[in-house]
Amino acid sequence: MPVLRAAKRTAVADEALIRTLYEEHGRALLAYAARLTGDHAAAEDAVQETLVRAWRHPDTLVNGKGSVRGWLLTVVRNIITDRFRAKAARPAEVAEAPAAPPVAADHSDAVLNSMVVLDAMDRLSPEHRDVLTEIYFRGRSVAEAAETLGVPPGTVKSRSYYALRAMRQTFGGRGAAVGEVAG
């Protein structure tokens, strides 16, 4: 039992030592570490590691060589320096590249829409089909389509209106499909 009591007494004394060290030097250690790291969380980690080392080596604190605060500040600086060097020695961390390149989007919907639009265009009169081809597929303005087709711009507008209306009826009111594929 005497060994157990001695161990318990030592643990209580060690805890009191660390508590006293933190109360007396904790703010100075944290300020110093924060200045060195520029990161409050990293500074807290360094101070905690310093106190753990002080707990492991209490005899160093009471040997009468130098000040306790000087020893603690040196330990904090060494911990931060070691972490900085370890980080610099490792290659920079980058996001993990996927093993396989991403799969291209499924283009079957676009192919199907194109087939449906082409089928609907085949049902239009040649005049209406030519107007839609010039405006939507060749990207021409109304004036350019009128010049190419040899008709007035008003006729191009009228034919495109009636052609799109006929195509919407073919799709059963799903006019958005025409704009997605043709536009």
Side-chain angles (χ1 to χ4, degrees):
M1 285 292 191
V3 174
L4 185 59
R5 283 188 201 144
K8 190 173 187 179
R9 246 189 334 245
T10 304
V12 170
D14 289 347
E15 184 179 328
L17 172 69
I18 298 303
R19 186 180 315 269
T20 303
L21 284 175
Y22 185 75
E23 288 172 0
E24 291 180 15
H25 306 288
R27 290 178 64 140
L29 291 172
L30 187 59
Y32 182 62
R35 215 171 344 153
L36 290 176
T37 62
D39 179 11
H40 189 72
E44 287 178 344
D45 290 345
V47 169
Q48 182 177 9
E49 179 65 27
T50 300
L51 293 174
V52 167
R53 289 186 187 182
W55 174 70
R56 287 184 184 156
H57 306 288
D59 53 325
T60 308
L61 298 172
V62 292
N63 67 7
K65 296 180 183 175
S67 71
V68 172
R69 183 173 280 196
W71 185 85
L72 292 171
L73 290 172
T74 301
V75 171
V76 165
R77 186 188 69 229
N78 290 343
I79 289 170
I80 292 170
T81 302
D82 291 345
R83 289 182 181 173
F84 178 75
R85 286 178 180 161
K87 195 177 203 179
R90 278 184 257 136
E93 294 179 12
V94 295
E96 186 175 320
V103 177
D106 185 18
H107 66 280
S108 62
D109 288 337
V111 171
L112 182 61
N113 284 342
S114 296
M115 291 174 58
V116 170
V117 168
L118 290 174
D119 183 52
M121 285 193 63
D122 284 342
R123 296 179 186 182
L124 296 175
S125 68
E127 293 84 13
H128 289 133
R129 186 175 343 143
D130 292 343
V131 167
L132 291 184
T133 300
E134 293 300 319
I135 292 176
Y136 290 103
F137 293 112
R138 294 196 176 122
R140 296 198 169 128
S141 68
V142 171
E144 292 170 338
E147 185 178 327
T148 302
L149 296 173
V151 295
T155 304
V156 171
K157 289 179 186 179
S158 174
R159 287 180 183 172
S160 67
Y161 170 80
Y162 287 109
L164 289 174
R165 191 172 92 176
M167 288 185 71
R168 280 189 196 99
Q169 289 173 352
T170 301
F171 295 131
R174 296 181 317 201
V178 175
E180 290 173 3
V181 176

